[in-house]
Amino acid sequence: MILAVLLAGAGLGTDFASWFAPTSSEMPRDRPTGDVEGPFAERQASVNRSHIPTKQLAEFAAPWLTRMGDCTGDTQSGGPERGDGEQTRTRCTAGIVTVYWISYRSIADRDAAQARYAAQAAQSQHLAPGMLQPSPAAAGHAPQLHVEYAYRVPAGEHAGQTVAALWWSDPAQPVAGVLTAYWEQGLGSSWAPLRDLWRHTS
């Protein structure tokens, strides 16, 4: 609908457009050099960080926290459930993507989770074609463990739909992030949007 309004405005000429043009006092100012994110992004990250229960996990998640919201911890009403070996789990959203920030009880528990996701990746290639094989992060990025996998929703409103997921972790810490999105409806049957969100700050 917004697009339709914009197109209609373009067709009505400059008089219509001038109704919505900001005055000189309303024009956005250039950011000072070095102010990469700005006050809004800084505040968004601060709010999100308050929902992440450990300093170690918050530092791991920090590069992404300006790009998401609606974070809920596993101890809050309606929050996510912890998986095997998990100490905490926090859920956030980033548009079409649902993000989970996880702290594990130990490195061994983190490695066990990685092995489960790697096995799931081997069995789900047909669900989301084009997924990469489990491996360290691509050259040019900080060392990270990286697994892409997919699964079908077993029940509920979205039963039968495919979800694509990207799990990653710092090799030296028992923490991880997971990006998930519906394969067709959300990602348009492409890994590119999910990888773009991950690579933007990884």
Side-chain angles (χ1 to χ4, degrees):
M1 189 169 83
I2 294 173
L3 179 60
V5 171
L6 291 175
L7 292 174
L12 291 174
T14 56
D15 289 341
F16 181 84
S18 68
W19 298 348
F20 298 94
T23 64
S24 59
S25 63
E26 296 172 337
M27 292 295 287
R29 299 178 181 179
D30 292 336
R31 289 181 186 168
T33 302
D35 185 8
V36 177
E37 297 292 352
F40 174 81
E42 291 171 2
R43 181 56 186 159
Q44 184 70 61
S46 177
V47 170
N48 292 337
R49 195 176 299 112
S50 70
H51 293 280
I52 298 180
T54 71
K55 180 180 178 181
Q56 186 181 45
L57 185 58
E59 289 176 349
F60 175 78
W64 289 270
L65 295 183
T66 62
R67 300 173 64 83
M68 55 193 61
D70 299 321
C71 295
T72 307
D74 55 48
T75 61
Q76 296 175 265
S77 176
E81 295 184 6
R82 301 178 192 176
D84 292 343
E86 296 180 5
Q87 186 174 30
T88 69
R89 177 178 278 246
T90 302
R91 181 184 63 236
C92 304
T93 60
I96 59 174
V97 177
T98 300
V99 187
Y100 296 96
W101 302 109
I102 302 166
S103 60
Y104 295 95
R105 293 192 298 255
S106 66
I107 290 289
D109 287 315
R110 191 279 316 275
D111 290 346
Q114 181 192 9
R116 289 196 301 271
Y117 292 132
Q120 191 166 349
Q123 299 169 4
S124 60
Q125 296 280 337
H126 64 289
L127 294 179
M131 71 173 63
L132 297 176
Q133 293 299 309
S135 66
H141 298 282
Q144 292 181 336
L145 305 177
H146 175 265
V147 180
E148 294 177 354
Y149 63 97
Y151 60 90
R152 289 196 189 279
V153 179
E157 180 183 353
H158 298 283
Q161 293 190 34
T162 296
V163 173
L166 191 162
W167 176 99
W168 78 102
S169 173
D170 183 320
Q173 301 184 76
V175 296
V178 187
L179 307 178
T180 67
Y182 291 107
W183 176 244
E184 294 181 359
Q185 182 180 0
L187 299 176
S189 301
S190 170
W191 283 97
L194 209 59
R195 291 171 184 160
D196 181 62
L197 177 60
W198 174 69
R199 288 172 176 162
H200 186 79
T201 46
S202 65

